[in-house]
């Protein structure tokens, strides 16, 4: 289905009936990886999932966005869908958006429970190797932007950018690359976690390298009453790597009876 929100054509799906579940995907992803979990939950809940602006089949935002812009868009989506209360499920960047949503006092809907899977939001200090790589990239970018160099090698800067950065950065469009930089440079302070009031379940793959298990342990320590479930033989896409186990853990948290 499609809906236009703030002049952005947005792709979303809704399945099932009952209380609402809203699912938010990670950076560089879309609603498709959620398909098995949506199928599992839709007999018990009314499940919404959307491609956030710039991902999947949704249009890009009109300018580079930071985390708060995505959060405000999600709020607008809940208004359009007339969602009054919901269980929020977020993976990676979607989890970071949920953490911010849970810190808004004037939120127009009630958060019943929160499930964070390999959630983003914690930025670790850069290693010396990472710092040197960034410095080398910035120096190369400065050099390739010099007018004589641009005339001789007009595609060199684009090639440098294509080779640099993470896979998410390289795969993104120029505008979404700018958004990516804004997002990854934001580090959520401790108060964002200690202020979370809804009951929260943390699900982490033990082999997650994108958002390592130590991040989940930090959140468990700082989110009041949060519980962390570590899933063996699973990585960042824990809900796909060990779908059966994750479904059972979520069933227990949401009191779903077969």
């Amino acid at each position: 289905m499609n809906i236009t929100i703030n002049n952005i054509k947005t792709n979303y799906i809704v399945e099932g009936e009952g209380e609402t579940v809203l699912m938010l995907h990670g950076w560089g992803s879309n609603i498709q990886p959620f398909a098995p979990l949506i199928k599992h939950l839709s007999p018990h809940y009314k499940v919404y999932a959307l491609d956030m602006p710039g991902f999947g089949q949704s249009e890009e935002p009109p300018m580079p966005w930071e985390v708060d812009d995505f959060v405000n868009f999600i709020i607008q989506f809940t208004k359009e869908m007339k969602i009054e209360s919901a269980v929020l499920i977020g993976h990676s960047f979607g989890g970071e958006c949920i953490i911010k949503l849970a810190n808004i006092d004037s939120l127009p809907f009630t958060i019943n429970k929160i499930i964070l899977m390999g959630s983003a939001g914690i930025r670790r200090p850069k290693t010396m190797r990472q710092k040197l790589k960034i410095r080398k990239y910035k120096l190369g970018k400065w050099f390739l932007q010099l007018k004589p160099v641009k005339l001789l090698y007009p595609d060199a800067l684009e090639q440098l950018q294509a080779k640099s950065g993470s896979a998410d950065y390289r795969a993104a469009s120029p505008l979404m690359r700018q958004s990516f930089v804004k997002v990854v440079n934001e580090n959520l302070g401790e108060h964002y976690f200690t202020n979370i009031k809804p009951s929260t379940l943390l699900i982490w793959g033990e082999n997650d390298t994108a958002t390592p298990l130590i991040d989940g342990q930090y959140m468990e320590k700082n989110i009041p009453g949060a519980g962390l479930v570590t899933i063996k033989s699973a990585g960042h896409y824990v809900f796909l790597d060990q779908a059966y186990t994750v479904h059972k853990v979520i069933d227990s948290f949401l009191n779903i009876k077969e």
Side-chain angles (χ1 to χ4, degrees):
M1 298 183 185
N2 287 304
I3 186 173
T4 300
I5 301 174
N6 299 339
N7 295 319
I8 298 172
K9 187 178 179 182
T10 305
N11 179 55
Y12 75 99
I13 60 175
V14 54
E15 292 187 15
E17 294 295 336
E19 295 181 45
T20 297
V21 167
L22 175 60
M23 304 178 69
L24 302 175
H25 64 75
W27 190 273
S29 188
N30 54 62
I31 58 180
Q32 292 306 315
F34 279 146
L37 185 53
I38 292 171
K39 182 178 179 181
H40 178 74
L41 291 175
S42 58
H44 312 280
Y45 286 89
K46 188 173 186 177
V47 184
Y48 290 88
L50 72 151
D51 286 335
M52 286 193 274
F55 302 102
Q57 298 178 45
S58 291
E59 293 178 339
E60 291 188 352
M63 63 189 71
W65 276 8
E66 55 190 31
V67 180
D68 285 342
D69 296 310
F70 287 97
V71 169
N72 290 333
F73 187 88
I74 293 163
I75 292 173
Q76 190 60 41
F77 176 81
T78 64
K79 290 180 178 178
E80 294 288 342
M81 297 296 111
K82 295 181 170 52
I83 294 173
E84 298 180 353
S85 64
V87 173
L88 300 184
I89 301 178
H91 173 240
S92 197
F93 174 64
E96 183 173 0
C97 290
I98 289 174
I99 292 166
K100 282 214 151 188
L101 282 165
N103 276 265
I104 298 175
D105 292 330
S106 57
L107 204 61
F109 66 95
T110 301
I111 302 176
N112 294 330
K113 287 185 175 182
I114 292 172
I115 300 173
L116 303 177
M117 302 184 293
S119 179
I122 299 171
R123 317 297 178 201
R124 299 289 165 192
K126 290 181 174 60
T127 64
M128 183 57 67
R129 184 177 179 181
Q130 289 172 321
K131 289 178 180 178
L132 288 173
K133 186 178 179 181
I134 292 170
R135 186 175 180 183
K136 182 180 177 181
Y137 168 74
K138 287 183 176 179
L139 183 62
K141 183 179 178 182
W142 169 81
F143 177 73
L144 294 174
Q145 285 179 321
L146 295 174
K147 285 187 177 180
V149 179
K150 285 182 71 175
L151 289 171
L152 286 171
Y153 308 101
D155 300 325
L157 179 58
E158 184 178 338
Q159 291 172 4
L160 174 67
Q161 291 173 329
K163 293 178 182 177
S164 302
S166 67
D168 283 337
Y169 180 85
R170 293 194 301 270
S173 69
L175 185 144
M176 293 307 291
R177 285 179 181 175
Q178 294 178 64
S179 294
F180 181 76
V181 171
K182 287 175 175 285
V183 167
V184 299
N185 282 334
E186 180 169 353
N187 186 37
L188 300 185
E190 183 179 312
H191 68 281
Y192 275 100
F193 302 98
T194 57
N195 285 344
I196 294 177
K197 295 179 177 61
S199 180
T200 301
L201 169 65
L202 308 167
I203 302 177
W204 241 265
E206 65 171 354
N207 302 322
D208 192 333
T209 56
T211 52
L213 180 57
I214 190 174
D215 290 357
Q217 293 166 340
Y218 174 90
M219 292 185 194
E220 181 186 32
K221 179 181 176 182
N222 288 281
I223 297 174
L228 171 65
V229 178
T230 305
I231 308 295
K232 294 185 179 299
S233 302
H236 191 49
Y237 280 80
V238 58
F239 58 96
L240 292 178
D241 293 340
Q242 296 292 340
Y244 178 83
T245 303
V246 170
H247 292 177
K248 289 300 180 184
V249 170
I250 291 175
D251 287 352
S252 176
F253 181 65
L254 297 180
N255 299 312
I256 294 176
K257 304 266 194 270
E258 290 296 337

